[in-house]
Amino acid sequence: MKIHQLSAAESIVSLKSSPTGLMHAEVERRLQEFGPNEVKPAKRRAPWVGLVQELTSFFSIILWMAAGLAFIAEWSDPGQGMARIGYAVVTVILVSGLFSFWQEHRVEQTLAALRNLLPQQCLVLRDGTISHELAVHLVPGDIVHLEQGDKIPADCRLIEAYGVRVNNAAVTGESSPQARDAAAASAPDLRDSSNVVLAGTLMAAGQAKAVVFATGIRTEFGKIAHLTQMSGDEASPLRHELEHLSRVTALIAVVIGVLFFSFGWFIGIPFWKAFIPPPSFAPTRREHSPRTAWWSSAYFWVAISSHRRG
């Protein structure tokens, strides 16, 4: 049976605790076993490293090359508007990189906001004595005293409850405070149990005594924080598909460009003539077809890459 399906006395016994709380020596041992009651930030790369990686990724390099070609074309044949295209491509690269940087910054801000939902201290019963202890030192089996306005420091099973109502909005999204009591519950899901209070939630009313059964990353709150940190590290299936499409498009663009450059060289069109795009995409019969195909494919690749970034 799960802890919320046990009686108050049985839940204390299941955690190898007692109504007078844990002994201090046992607290130290459990602290070593379970670790501190905190949500540690995952090791993340420095923001500037992420920005550099974004600006030098495979897709960004392709775009840098396209911008470089546009500037070379403008230098070779001024007045054709290629510089504007080059600046536009550079803008796309920078905006994409800054957006990625902003996303990582948002993840850090979200995690900091989540950590602020946990209290710094709480009232704990240990060895028959109630004292203020750092919430980070809580361990499973500790008995905590909760009052109106207190932040819940860990996932706890109520063993005494007097008019308790809990605001679970931070964890479950429920907009109104929910009543809680110490009676055994039959709900299959612990989060729906009427005798459980979760870390990161708030005592909206009443007084209670509760036994801690989960701390740190093992709490429901800790799991949410962990998912928040990991959300930016895993690419979605859609992004994988778009990356694959972008690589295929890049390969097709290069192959078409090489073929038409080769064709232009074969029929005697000078390199720069084949390289520089015309003012209009409408080709002439004599010399614009190979370079138009090259630049059309390049522009198509830029459009696909820009769409993928969005």
Side-chain angles (χ1 to χ4, degrees):
M1 296 178 69
K2 297 180 180 179
I3 191 168
H4 65 283
Q5 297 172 330
L6 302 174
S7 67
E10 290 172 335
S11 63
I12 294 175
V13 172
S14 69
L15 292 165
K16 298 180 180 179
S17 184
S18 71
T20 58
L22 296 171
M23 302 290 288
H24 290 285
E26 180 63 14
V27 171
E28 293 297 328
R29 189 194 69 78
R30 295 192 184 194
L31 191 59
Q32 293 294 322
E33 179 182 354
F34 296 102
N37 177 39
E38 62 182 353
V39 180
K40 293 182 179 180
K43 292 183 179 179
R44 304 182 65 88
R45 62 190 182 185
W48 67 267
V49 173
L51 181 60
V52 170
Q53 289 180 346
E54 185 69 23
L55 295 179
T56 56
S57 66
F58 170 77
F59 308 102
S60 295
I61 289 173
I62 295 293
L63 292 177
W64 282 120
M65 292 174 61
L69 291 175
F71 289 129
I72 292 173
E74 178 67 21
W75 169 77
S76 175
D77 189 7
Q80 301 301 318
M82 295 307 300
R84 289 194 297 271
I85 294 176
Y87 290 129
V89 174
V90 170
T91 300
V92 168
I93 300 170
L94 295 178
V95 169
S96 176
L98 291 174
F99 180 72
S100 177
F101 175 83
W102 177 74
Q103 281 185 311
E104 290 204 14
H105 179 63
R106 282 286 302 275
V107 169
E108 296 295 336
Q109 284 187 320
T110 301
L111 183 60
L114 287 174
R115 285 199 294 264
N116 288 336
L117 295 175
L118 297 175
Q120 297 295 316
Q121 291 187 332
C122 56
L123 277 174
V124 186
L125 176 64
R126 287 177 177 168
D127 201 13
T129 303
I130 299 177
S131 61
H132 284 278
E133 301 288 344
L134 292 175
V136 73
H137 293 159
L138 283 180
V139 296
D142 264 331
I143 293 178
V144 296
H145 285 248
L146 304 169
E147 297 181 352
Q148 180 178 348
D150 286 349
K151 297 176 181 179
I152 309 300
D155 285 358
C156 305
R157 199 281 192 205
L158 296 176
I159 54 178
E160 293 180 15
Y162 308 98
V164 173
R165 298 183 71 84
V166 180
N167 186 337
N168 291 329
V171 177
T172 65
E174 295 168 310
S175 58
S176 58
Q178 304 295 308
R180 292 291 183 263
D181 57 58
S186 58
D189 191 344
L190 181 143
R191 290 173 295 182
D192 298 329
S193 174
S194 61
N195 58 21
V196 167
V197 290
L198 302 174
T201 60
L202 180 71
M203 284 280 290
Q207 295 180 329
K209 185 187 293 186
V211 60
V212 175
F213 65 84
T215 59
I217 198 67
R218 299 175 184 83
T219 63
E220 296 299 318
F221 179 86
K223 295 172 185 176
I224 293 173
H226 178 71
L227 289 175
T228 300
Q229 295 182 82
M230 296 298 105
S231 61
D233 298 335
E234 298 180 3
S236 65
L238 176 59
R239 179 163 184 173
H240 282 304
E241 290 299 323
L242 290 175
E243 288 178 352
H244 175 69
L245 175 62
S246 298
R247 291 179 183 273
V248 171
T249 306
L251 178 61
I252 293 174
V254 171
V255 170
I256 292 175
V258 170
L259 288 176
F260 277 93
F261 264 120
S262 301
F263 177 71
W265 174 80
F266 179 75
I267 64 176
I269 297 177
F271 174 80
W272 287 110
K273 286 284 187 178
F275 176 76
I276 301 170
S280 169
F281 275 103
T284 65
R285 200 172 40 179
R286 198 158 50 92
E287 63 180 35
H288 285 173
S289 295
R291 63 196 184 198
T292 299
W294 165 255
W295 283 99
S296 296
S297 59
Y299 292 153
F300 180 59
W301 160 243
V302 170
I304 288 292
S305 297
S306 300
H307 178 71
R308 180 193 68 83
R309 299 286 182 180

